[in-house]
Amino acid sequence: MSLSTSVAYCFVACSMLDVDVNLRSPQPAASSQQPAASDAKDSQLQTASQTPNTMGPEEDLPTLISQKDHLNVLRYVRAHQLREPNLVVNHGKILLQSKSLGDAERLASLEQICIAACDIGDLDLAESCLDSIVNPTSNNKSLIVTKQSSRYRKLLALCLEAAGNYESAGAVYDILLQDNPSNAYAAKRKYCILAAQPGKETDAMKALDEYLSKHPGDLAAWNQMAEMCLSVSDFKGAAYCYEELVLGCPLDSNIHTKLGEVYCTAGGVENAKLARKHLAQAVQLDPNNLRAWYGLVAAAEGYLEEVEKISKNKREAEDEGVEVAKELIKFGGEKLVGIYKGTRLAKVVNAVLKESSESL
């Protein structure tokens, strides 16, 4: 079934969204009055198709693949939230040919295959799955997904995104947000649409900032915001984002490392102290974190350089900090030498660290 001649998508454009959903040729979206989503019905459908799969199969994935257990391969990927689109598509195509597949499993599999097909750019397969979801062969009315449901609209918007029709996809997400302003999924996808388009980095940051103002507990979003701040050299903003991450994951050595690096790069005596603190915390949490050890030595050296820039009166107040920094350089150097002992890089590391120690 060709996407450019899809009767199903044309029907959706006319009867449900009044936006152009041609997946091949993106066009501007038209505005109109939209019908309300069937939230209660959608919730029942979500429960019906996902309840049997919450635990997942007991066997590991390689065993299921070798046994050609197509149903449990898809169940395993869903249960463990793996991103294996090619695996899902290959096993899903075979699974859908089975006549013994239950209605709930078929619906869950169609959704999973549709998303995987979008991931690999197989838009024909994605449309076929989407059409099968709203036109099932089963007579079980409790498992019929309507075109007005948020469940269907999510899949439709993903297909539009995969085709590059960002304007129409954004229109679908706007409808989802109108129905439910706290819809975190739709808000995140709107950010993703902006982030995927060159030249809209500022708009993407604004969208992500708006999302975080409503969902401050989303650690993945804070991490994404930190990376975006770093991409524009906003070290103060990046430090704020990583501080939020530290609150959510106080025992994560890598987050402390990144935060220490940001403070070290920002410069200044106070920032150098904060960098030293977080990098010391990072190596305490994970003694094998080489990046943190190097960062700790670099932060201590950076602190000494910053102290040299300040006035003599202020410099005297940093005497204790200077001694601590010198000891940290020696201590960190000894640890790194020990880690690289017996390796091909040992001589290089020794030379670099010896130069740092002699400059104290």
Side-chain angles (χ1 to χ4, degrees):
M1 185 185 298
S2 171
L3 292 174
S4 60
T5 60
S6 172
V7 176
Y9 276 73
C10 291
F11 174 79
V12 174
C14 296
S15 66
M16 187 189 81
L17 299 177
D18 283 343
V19 296
D20 190 339
V21 289
N22 187 333
L23 300 188
R24 294 300 189 194
S25 303
Q27 299 292 335
S31 60
S32 71
Q33 184 69 27
Q34 307 300 336
S38 306
D39 293 333
K41 182 74 171 178
D42 191 52
S43 177
Q44 294 173 0
L45 292 171
Q46 191 77 18
T47 304
S49 69
Q50 291 187 355
T51 300
N53 311 314
T54 53
M55 298 302 293
E58 296 181 359
E59 297 84 355
D60 58 28
L61 188 57
T63 300
L64 294 172
I65 295 173
S66 64
Q67 293 175 349
K68 297 183 179 180
D69 189 346
H70 309 298
L71 175 59
N72 279 322
V73 166
L74 265 63
R75 283 178 171 175
Y76 187 98
V77 172
R78 285 202 301 271
H80 294 271
Q81 299 181 1
L82 303 179
R83 185 177 181 180
E84 295 287 349
N86 289 297
L87 187 67
V88 169
V89 168
N90 293 335
H91 287 270
K93 285 181 178 178
I94 301 173
L95 178 63
L96 293 179
Q97 297 173 6
S98 173
K99 296 182 180 179
S100 60
L101 188 63
D103 294 337
E105 278 293 354
R106 179 175 293 277
L107 180 58
S109 299
L110 281 169
E111 286 183 311
Q112 188 176 4
I113 297 166
C114 181
I115 295 172
C118 289
D119 203 357
I120 63 175
D122 191 344
L123 301 183
D124 290 330
L125 176 60
E127 183 203 13
S128 176
C129 292
L130 199 59
D131 186 57
S132 297
I133 288 172
V134 292
N135 298 293
T137 57
S138 170
N139 293 322
N140 189 346
K141 294 184 179 180
S142 65
L143 294 177
I144 296 178
V145 179
T146 65
K147 293 180 179 179
Q148 288 76 27
S149 68
S150 61
R151 189 174 188 177
Y152 174 81
R153 288 174 176 176
K154 288 178 182 179
L155 294 173
L156 174 61
L158 283 177
C159 291
L160 291 167
E161 282 189 63
N165 194 341
Y166 298 124
E167 189 170 358
S168 294
V172 178
Y173 291 131
D174 285 337
I175 294 171
L176 290 173
L177 288 170
Q178 288 174 8
D179 293 340
N180 179 12
S182 62
N183 190 326
Y185 174 85
K188 281 193 285 189
R189 293 312 308 171
K190 287 204 69 175
Y191 155 73
C192 292
I193 288 175
L194 292 170
Q197 301 177 69
K200 292 194 175 183
E201 292 80 5
T202 303
D203 293 334
M205 288 187 71
K206 289 180 180 178
L208 187 56
D209 183 62
E210 183 179 353
Y211 170 80
L212 284 170
S213 67
K214 297 178 181 179
H215 305 88
D218 192 332
L219 299 182
W222 281 115
N223 186 67
Q224 184 66 27
M225 179 60 88
E227 293 181 1
M228 294 192 72
C229 289
L230 289 175
S231 68
V232 294
S233 300
D234 180 7
F235 300 114
K236 183 178 180 180
Y240 180 86
C241 295
Y242 282 128
E243 289 284 6
E244 291 292 330
L245 282 170
V246 166
L247 290 176
C249 303
L251 302 181
D252 192 317
S253 176
N254 290 325
I255 293 177
H256 282 283
T257 301
K258 291 180 180 180
L259 179 54
E261 291 173 346
V262 169
Y263 277 129
C264 190
T265 306
V269 174
E270 294 303 319
N271 285 333
K273 289 181 180 179
L274 290 170
R276 192 174 64 190
K277 180 184 75 172
H278 285 286
L279 288 163
Q281 182 66 42
V283 297
Q284 183 178 7
L285 291 169
D286 182 8
N288 296 319
N289 189 336
L290 285 176
R291 183 169 173 171
W293 281 114
Y294 277 116
L296 182 60
V297 173
E301 291 178 340
Y303 170 78
L304 295 177
E305 292 176 1
E306 293 293 341
V307 170
E308 291 296 323
K309 298 177 184 179
I310 62 179
S311 63
K312 185 176 181 180
N313 293 334
K314 293 182 179 180
R315 196 181 307 165
E316 292 177 354
E318 299 293 335
D319 287 344
E320 184 178 351
V322 168
E323 293 302 318
V324 171
K326 291 180 178 179
E327 290 300 320
L328 282 176
I329 293 173
K330 293 178 182 178
F331 178 71
E334 291 173 359
K335 285 289 184 181
L336 287 170
V337 168
I339 292 172
Y340 281 99
K341 186 176 181 180
T343 67
R344 290 182 295 177
L345 293 174
K347 291 184 178 179
V348 178
V349 173
N350 285 335
V352 171
L353 294 174
K354 183 179 180 181
E355 183 179 348
S356 298
S357 299
E358 289 177 350
S359 63
L360 299 178

